[in-house]
Amino acid sequence: MSKKRGLSLEEKRTRMLELFFERKEFFLLKELEKIAPKEKGITSMSVKEVVQSLVDDNLVDTDKIGTSVYFWAYPSKAIHTDERNLILEELTQKEKLCKELEQELERYRECDPEVLENLQKETLMSKEGANRWTDNVFTIKSWCERKFGLEKKMIDKSFGIPEDFDYVE
């Protein structure tokens, strides 16, 4: 004896839409939970999930009137489904194209005049900063020579200052 296989979510969605299109009425969720198992073989436990997925995809309309929430969909809504799929496909293609163009733009970003100008400014600031610190090192070396009577080579050796230490050009 083989076990009966349950319906997939897509099959449930299709059958639920058929129910709406055949009946051409509006329903409360409780009504759908009673009707769907009998007429379409959709378990009452999954009706809410199926209807909500259809509402999320704009295949079923819903409105809250007072404390009740009503659901409906008419056959004319199915015409818009195909149009929606075409639009979604077009959107996916355009998003893919946009990503490709952004990647190409990123490759050329290093040639952007603004980026190059900012890089030149940062380079100039870094050079000025390095020369300012070099000036500070020379000032301290000079002070140590006067204060302690040390030779320049001895100060350089003690503090690991290379012989070719000089301002950045």
Side-chain angles (χ1 to χ4, degrees), residues 7-164:
L7 299 173
S8 72
L9 179 61
E10 232 9 82
E11 291 172 323
K12 291 177 186 177
R13 287 169 47 100
T14 304
R15 289 184 181 194
M16 186 61 74
L17 273 176
E18 287 174 3
L19 176 73
F20 280 110
F21 295 162
E22 290 167 2
R23 290 278 190 111
K24 299 177 187 167
E25 300 176 33
F26 55 89
F27 300 96
L28 292 169
L29 186 59
K30 286 190 178 211
E31 293 172 339
L32 288 171
E33 288 173 343
K34 290 179 185 174
I35 297 170
K38 292 177 187 171
E39 292 189 16
K40 296 297 178 181
I42 301 169
T43 61
S44 60
M45 301 285 287
S46 63
V47 168
K48 182 177 182 179
E49 175 190 348
V50 172
V51 170
Q52 187 59 50
S53 75
L54 291 170
V55 168
D56 291 344
D57 289 342
N58 291 322
L59 298 173
V60 172
D61 295 314
T62 183
D63 201 2
K64 185 173 183 176
I65 302 173
T67 59
S68 302
V69 179
Y70 293 92
F71 301 94
W72 70 93
Y74 297 110
S76 62
K77 188 88 168 167
I79 295 170
H80 300 298
T81 304
D82 294 334
E83 183 181 333
R84 179 181 179 277
N85 288 336
L86 290 174
I87 291 171
L88 285 174
E89 187 176 316
E90 184 181 347
L91 175 65
T92 304
Q93 290 173 355
K94 291 196 178 196
E95 285 175 342
K96 182 181 175 186
L97 177 64
C98 183
K99 283 183 183 179
E100 290 173 1
L101 291 174
E102 283 176 354
Q103 289 173 350
E104 185 176 343
L105 183 63
E106 190 63 36
R107 286 196 307 254
Y108 297 119
R109 183 130 0 248
E110 64 188 34
C111 297
D112 185 359
E114 289 179 17
V115 172
L116 290 174
E117 185 179 328
N118 287 339
L119 188 60
Q120 287 174 339
K121 286 179 182 177
E122 289 174 9
T123 303
L124 182 62
M125 284 177 41
S126 298
K127 182 179 172 184
E128 289 172 353
N131 285 335
R132 193 169 33 251
W133 280 100
T134 302
D135 197 33
N136 291 344
V137 169
F138 286 143
T139 302
I140 290 173
K141 277 175 58 174
S142 174
W143 180 78
C144 287
E145 288 173 27
R146 285 191 316 265
K147 179 79 172 176
F148 303 110
L150 300 173
E151 295 179 16
K152 288 183 182 183
K153 288 187 178 188
M154 193 171 121
I155 294 172
D156 289 346
K157 185 177 179 186
S158 298
F159 292 102
I161 300 172
E163 288 181 21
D164 60 347

